[in-house]
């Protein structure tokens, strides 16, 4: 049995780490008035390449990471942490002095952002973002919704929160998520895990989730990127994103794929059913946005 001294030795690093983390978070909030709001948001879609694009962007010398360093790509402020307030949100971003230091060092404009795929899907996020940051630039990755749904299910399965097979999960989705969207609207500080985790089919009806963003923001503020373009030619998509953000060219040595989940192919009958289901939604999206979306739902 471990001695009391051994137990203390085991606890001390954890306690120190916890205190350091709390201190950094507190420092970020206390200095929030010196921390400008972000210049851009990657708002979706889940399982559409947002993690990869984010990691490419933060390799640019003029795109700093979030603060503190353990924050990966998002504060989740506009969906999960709305009740924490603006000072808490600002605490995640670099100070004006840090921005100026980077600009002087690299001779270009700094662009600060975050990537949160649930923002596009949350019913109140667009109006919240518009009220706080009406000039922000928005990046939207759109993936074939059939592949997106299947990939979403694989992620939930891997994370241990999805006991059902894909067909059963699709069938259970209406019951699992019933009333959650309405509750999110009625209770502004409520966060729904079910609405995030189990909305496999619903998230692929992209246009209904994009309409609030198109209402609140000028079209020039939105960049729509087919995920398939990112997968086929990450370098070209990265350059297009830099142009949209007004950043100087910066080449990367490689374009590693993040969060890739390989598995058996989707069962053909289920693929056919989902393809048929999404066809009218995809066509409406193409017409509304004027986009070429090379997905297999199009009728020849």
């Amino acid at each position: 049995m471990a001695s009391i001294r051994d137990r203390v030795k085991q606890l001390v690093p954890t306690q120190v780490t916890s205190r350091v983390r709390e201190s950094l978070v507190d420092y970020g909030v206390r200095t929030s008035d010196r921390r400008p709001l972000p210049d851009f948001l990657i708002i979706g879609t889940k399982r559409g390449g947002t993690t990869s694009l984010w990691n490419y962007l933060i390799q640019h010398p003029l795109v700093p990471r979030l603060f503190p360093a353990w924050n990966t790509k998002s504060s989740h402020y506009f969906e999960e942490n709305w009740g924490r307030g603006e000072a808490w949100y600002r605490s995640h971003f670099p100070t004006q002095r840090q921005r100026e230091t980077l600009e002087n060092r690299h001779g270009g404009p700094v662009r600060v952002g975050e990537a949160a795929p649930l923002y596009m899907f949350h019913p109140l996020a667009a109006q919240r973002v518009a009220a706080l940051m009406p000039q922000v630039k928005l990046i939207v990755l759109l993936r074939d919704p059939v592949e997106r749904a299947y990939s979403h299910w694989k992620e939930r399965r891997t994370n241990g929160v999805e006991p059902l097979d894909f067909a059963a999960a699709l069938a259970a989705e209406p019951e699992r998520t019933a009333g959650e969207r309405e509750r999110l609207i009625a209770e502004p500080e409520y966060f729904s895990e079910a609405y995030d985790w189990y909305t496999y089919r619903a998230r692929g009806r992209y246009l209904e989730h994009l309409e609030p963003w198109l209402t609140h923001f000028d079209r020039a503020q939105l960049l729509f990127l087919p995920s398939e373009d990112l997968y086929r030619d990450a370098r070209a998509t990265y350059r297009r994103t830099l142009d949209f953000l007004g950043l100087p060219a910066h080449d990367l040595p490689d374009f590693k794929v993040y969060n890739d989940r390989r598995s058996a192919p989707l069962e053909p009958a289920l693929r056919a059913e989902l393809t048929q289901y999404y066809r009218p939604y995809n066509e409406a999206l193409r017409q509304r946005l004027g986009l070429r979306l090379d997905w297999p739902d199009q009728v020849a």
Side-chain angles (χ1 to χ4, degrees):
M1 180 178 294
S3 68
I4 293 177
R5 179 176 294 177
D6 289 336
R7 292 179 185 177
V8 169
K9 286 181 179 179
Q10 292 171 0
L11 288 173
V12 166
T14 301
Q15 292 171 341
V16 169
T17 300
S18 178
R19 285 200 296 270
V20 169
R21 289 172 68 96
E22 290 173 4
S23 176
L24 284 171
V25 170
D26 179 64
Y27 171 76
V29 174
R30 285 188 289 104
T31 57
S32 62
D33 60 335
R34 300 174 228 163
R35 299 177 182 273
L37 291 165
D39 306 290
F40 72 92
L41 304 174
I42 302 176
I43 64 171
T45 185
K46 184 176 181 65
R47 305 304 303 161
T50 58
T51 299
S52 291
L53 183 59
W54 171 255
N55 279 281
Y56 304 154
L57 287 173
I58 59 175
Q59 292 180 64
H60 194 291
L62 290 164
V63 181
R65 295 171 179 267
L66 298 186
F67 177 87
W70 61 76
N71 285 304
T72 53
K73 64 179 183 178
S74 176
S75 68
H76 298 285
Y77 176 59
F78 295 102
E79 16 92 339
E80 184 173 359
N81 295 308
W82 180 245
R84 294 179 181 269
E86 183 181 338
W88 181 87
Y89 183 54
R90 285 178 178 268
S91 75
H92 290 78
F93 305 108
T95 63
Q96 182 62 38
R97 183 175 180 179
Q98 290 168 327
R99 281 177 172 250
E100 291 168 357
T101 298
L102 283 178
E103 289 178 355
N104 292 334
R105 182 181 304 159
H106 299 288
V110 164
R111 296 291 185 260
V112 174
E114 62 166 338
L118 187 54
Y119 285 174
M120 186 176 93
F121 189 55
H122 192 284
L124 299 180
Q127 66 189 60
R128 289 171 173 174
V129 173
L132 186 61
M133 305 182 298
Q135 303 304 315
V136 74
K137 291 195 170 186
L138 305 165
I139 300 169
V140 184
L141 286 151
L142 297 172
R143 183 182 184 182
D144 171 9
V146 177
E147 295 294 342
R148 193 224 67 80
Y150 188 41
S151 182
H152 186 173
W153 171 81
K154 287 187 289 183
E155 180 188 65
R156 296 296 87 199
R157 192 82 158 168
T158 301
N159 291 346
V161 298
E162 180 51 89
L164 304 177
D165 65 34
F166 188 41
L170 288 170
E173 181 176 332
E175 182 178 354
R176 281 172 154 180
T177 62
E180 291 301 286
R181 183 177 179 85
E182 292 76 15
R183 186 175 176 187
L184 287 167
I185 295 171
E187 302 175 31
E189 295 186 16
Y190 174 63
F191 176 73
S192 171
E193 288 182 339
Y195 190 74
D196 184 13
W197 289 356
Y198 302 128
T199 43
Y200 306 117
R201 189 185 295 262
R203 285 212 194 195
R205 300 192 299 264
Y206 296 130
L207 185 55
E208 68 184 67
H209 313 306
L210 285 171
E211 284 292 2
W213 298 92
L214 293 165
T215 298
H216 285 94
F217 295 93
D218 188 277
R219 176 63 187 272
Q221 292 175 250
L222 289 109
L223 174 65
F224 295 101
L225 299 170
S227 299
E228 292 74 19
D229 288 356
L230 177 67
Y231 303 149
R232 280 190 296 258
D233 192 344
R235 193 178 303 276
T237 301
Y238 172 67
R239 288 173 179 167
R240 185 179 173 193
T241 306
L242 296 186
D243 287 344
F244 174 70
L245 295 176
L247 286 164
H250 177 76
D251 205 12
L252 302 181
D254 61 70
F255 288 86
K256 171 186 172 181
V257 177
Y258 292 79
N259 286 352
D260 188 27
R261 299 181 188 277
R262 301 191 179 278
S263 66
L266 178 56
E267 192 273 320
L270 193 51
R271 178 182 295 280
E273 186 274 320
L274 284 171
T275 299
Q276 179 66 24
Y277 173 81
Y278 284 121
R279 182 167 289 127
Y281 297 105
N282 292 348
E283 184 56 31
L285 179 69
R286 291 185 181 98
Q287 294 294 326
R288 179 74 166 86
L289 301 182
L291 289 180
R292 180 192 61 80
L293 297 167
D294 187 19
W295 299 337
D297 64 284
Q298 295 185 89
V299 179

